[in-house]
Amino acid sequence: MNWSASVLTTLSSDTEPTILLTFDSAKYIINAGENTNRAFLQSQQNWKRTRALFFTQIGTQRASGLPGLLMSFADATISKLDIVGPPGLTHFLAAMRMYTYRDTMPVFPVEASWEPNVSADPHPIYQDENIMLFAIPVSPTPLDPSLTVLQNEFQSHESQLKRKRESSPNQPAKRSMISPSSSPDSSSFRELIQQPDFTPDVLFGDGAHSWRKLMVEIMFPGSKEHKNASKKRKALDSRAVGSRSTGKSTSGSKSSKAVKTTQPSTLSENTVPASGPLVPEIIVSAESAPASLNIDDYKRSRLPIGFHKQLPSFTPSTPISTPSHSPTICYVVVGPRVRGKFDIKKAEALGVPFGPLRGQLTKGQTISFSVKVGDEQVERTVRPEECIGESEPPGVVVVLDVPTPSHIKSLISSFANSPFFSKLRSTNPEDHKDYVVRTIFHICGDGVLEDPRYLAFMDGFGTNVQHVVASREHGPDPVTFTSAAFNQLRLNKLDPTMFSIPKFSLSAAKDLTVIPGLPGKTCYMSSNLTIQTRPPGPPVQKASADVGDLFHPSVSSKQIADQHIRHGRQILPLGTGSAIPTKYRNVSSTLIQIPGSGNILLDSGEGTWGQLARQFGTDETSPGTHIHGDHHMGLAKILAQRRSLQPPPAHPLYLVTIRAVHLYLRELSDIQDLGLNDPSDNGIITVMSEALHWRETGAYQTTGMWQIGGDEPWTDYAASRLAARKIFKTVDVYHRTRCYGAVIKHTDDWSIVFSGDTQPTNTLVAAGQRATVLIHEATMADDQVEMAKRKAHSTFGQAVDIGRSMNAEHILLTHFSARYPKVPPSSVNNRPGEGTKEPVIALAFDHANIAIGDMWKMKFYLPAIEQNFSDTVEEDDKEDTNMADIEIDIT
């Protein structure tokens, strides 16, 4: 059975390392940072037959691409998915419940333990016919007293924040909490969560974990159906085994009953159950839970009470955990053992007859049969090793995630103290008969790779192991999405100011090859690198990736240095696609740059941080219009990157969005510090979209479609009004979920109106009269009016009509369907009737720096842009449009 390990993406400005393990029958993905979905398109690789995802960390670095992958997997009919990761994985998934719902794909999260496993025969955390997966927890160890002080300060700060969590004034006093030792499938737990005044914050321990698992089952209802079918199969198998062994039926026996109570309800047959609670059967009846009035529930069945409330707080139980020193999970992936060849001559000499007995030998079974020896019939026993050659030991791939030098001691101890893992570094030939390490992937933080302890650790695996290293200190920063960059490079000749070249670097800050003591078989982790595990082979760069990269061979660093920098009001589209990314367009995001006033980011779909980094290099108000994932899934990454800035930002960031997005970010903050609780004056200021309504209603709506859905202290109406001042207003628009457009009015008497996702809406016309610029979605072509109506989007013509009705001076069309991965069909060149003042109409393109006063140029550039895209058609571009034909719904 042949298999390989390959690199989809590496460390760069817009990607994190993602590793693929590929078998004929299945594929396994290790880590999925932002842009993983888009990288599959660019690399011409695919995620078909994906069976499981394994995460070394849960947070914006390693897992922020997971929501997009889940939606794509489900819409492309992947039948089942296992997800393995550190503690907090289930919380991370449950936090997505407001915008993720797929009823066709069962999802089974499994959390590794932070406790080191020193068993000589550890149980794999995941196993199927191809691989066994073993988890190794790696925690930071204090190297000096300052780290211990930092830990104590962080824990003290966290305790203060928890004490500050206030109850809603309308919330009843909390009941007794479910204790961690209580059985989560007990009747008391079921009764509690179905009480009319139930809120999830009364749960902790096993009860809280069970609630999170229930949320995941609601997000992926196929998980429950799959689980029930699996339990029935296991029960039948158990009875069948009992009948064969005792000759009696086990129906009604204690052993039969145990099948139901010991099977974890969110584990598939491929995942190995760890200690933890079971999810109880929750039946929500019409009497216990009235029909939801929340528009965000339009596709779901009845939801349990508490679904829209904040998840129970998640507190990592780790030896030491600070924002910059979090533990990780490393993985040992053991491939299949390949049995030796059947020796026909030996079998014939032993008298083994043709037929099933030979098949039993090949399966490792000892057989007995009658054979004639001379004139006598004798009974002969043959063991497999008598006629089958020696089996081939399983190949092993190791993935190590070591963020800081303080993690090295724990990593070394994990291998040294475990009889099982220590064999992987053994020089004893007998140990190599069990497993042979072929490849080790090292994801190293600053200071790790040149640490003498780490170099000695690498060297301990022997000279035949291939080491593949990712380290920002020792790696270049090439452009990942070269198809889009090459088009941008060509357009740069048309207008170097409007179409700037993406920032990149082909040289590393430090030379990897001069590190003293580095093992000889070490290479850098570059995208599209493949290493054959069986049969073993050297690292090979995928040839088609180099052929498809026309950008890097065509650009020079001098071109980037000579680029013009524009000053003044301008609009920078960072993502102009809808629902899913393509090679040429990222999902929704638009940056408004206002000299002297700051920046406004309208939407931040997945990959927005990478787009910013490519635009400005890596050497601030951020609104999200609604809960659909293509508009906000990149927000957490931006907040995390802002939080890590040194020195810290000098000004606050105003986060204007709806409650569901705020809630998601607050729940995510239990896993990773996003700066939401920063007490300084330059932190993040929460602003509710509903509080900035253009009609200035004076209070939130409490019923119907536009109710905010909660009453947490951070939703305070007056506080949001005070924070946002008067330059920013929201407009209710019509989409399939609660959605707001925006009106931005500057004191210099110019304005920008942003539609968000919407059908043609008169409220936007009324609120945005005489706008300087209308940025309006134009998802569908003019011949797709019915489809646009069904999906609650606008056509090109409808968007232009809204701008005309509003008397807008300029109209910028964006949010194009993936059916149009390059240049969408449009009505830009349509001429108005005589005597009619026509607005300036332009199409948005990723990374086009559009000064408001220069927007008229886009109309005249359009023929050249169309010709450019026509000249650079790639063979696989049709796949982008094929993806659009799938009925993808980003809710």
Side-chain angles (χ1 to χ4, degrees), residues 32 278 320 389 402 494 496 522 648 689 793 806:
L278 312 184
I320 175 171
V402 191
L494 178 68
T522 301
S689 296
H793 284 298
M806 173 186 300

Side-chain angles (χ1 to χ4, degrees), residues 241-261:
V241 170
S243 298
R244 286 194 297 270
S245 60
T246 64
K248 299 178 182 180
S249 169
T250 59
S251 176
S253 68
K254 291 183 180 180
S255 60
S256 176
K257 184 177 180 181
V259 173
K260 294 184 178 180
T261 59

Side-chain angles (χ1 to χ4, degrees), residues 687-760:
V687 180
M688 298 294 296
S689 296
E690 293 85 347
L692 307 185
H693 195 276
W694 68 288
R695 294 188 188 278
E696 300 186 4
T697 55
Y700 293 128
Q701 222 171 284
T702 56
T703 59
M705 173 178 173
W706 298 102
Q707 58 180 308
I708 66 168
D711 56 0
E712 295 85 357
W714 44 266
T715 64
D716 183 72
Y717 182 90
S720 287
R721 293 285 302 173
L722 180 65
R725 303 167 190 171
K726 295 183 178 180
I727 66 166
F728 195 93
K729 295 182 179 180
T730 60
V731 184
D732 47 304
V733 294
Y734 186 77
H735 196 41
R736 292 187 301 179
T737 185
R738 189 181 296 105
C739 182
Y740 287 92
V743 177
I744 304 161
K745 290 190 176 181
H746 198 271
T747 53
D748 291 344
D749 202 29
W750 58 270
S751 63
I752 293 177
V753 177
F754 179 63
S755 72
D757 276 14
T758 183
Q759 288 183 205

Side-chain angles (χ1 to χ4, degrees), residues 105-185:
M105 182 179 70
V107 171
F108 302 95
V110 181
E111 296 187 354
S113 171
W114 288 130
E115 293 298 320
N117 193 332
V118 295
S119 169
D121 186 22
H123 293 290
I125 194 170
Y126 175 92
Q127 182 174 5
D128 63 12
E129 75 276 12
N130 293 325
I131 66 171
M132 291 190 296
L133 181 76
F134 298 91
I136 302 175
V138 175
S139 301
T141 305
L143 299 176
D144 53 58
S146 63
L147 187 57
T148 305
V149 171
L150 178 64
Q151 179 194 11
N152 294 336
E153 289 178 352
F154 175 69
Q155 291 174 342
S156 174
H157 177 61
E158 290 290 289
S159 299
Q160 292 174 15
L161 291 176
K162 286 176 184 176
R163 286 196 296 269
K164 286 180 181 178
R165 284 192 174 184
E166 304 173 39
S167 299
S168 164
N170 299 322
Q171 181 178 313
K174 291 185 179 179
R175 299 163 294 280
S176 298
M177 293 187 177
I178 299 295
S179 77
S181 59
S182 299
S183 173
D185 60 345

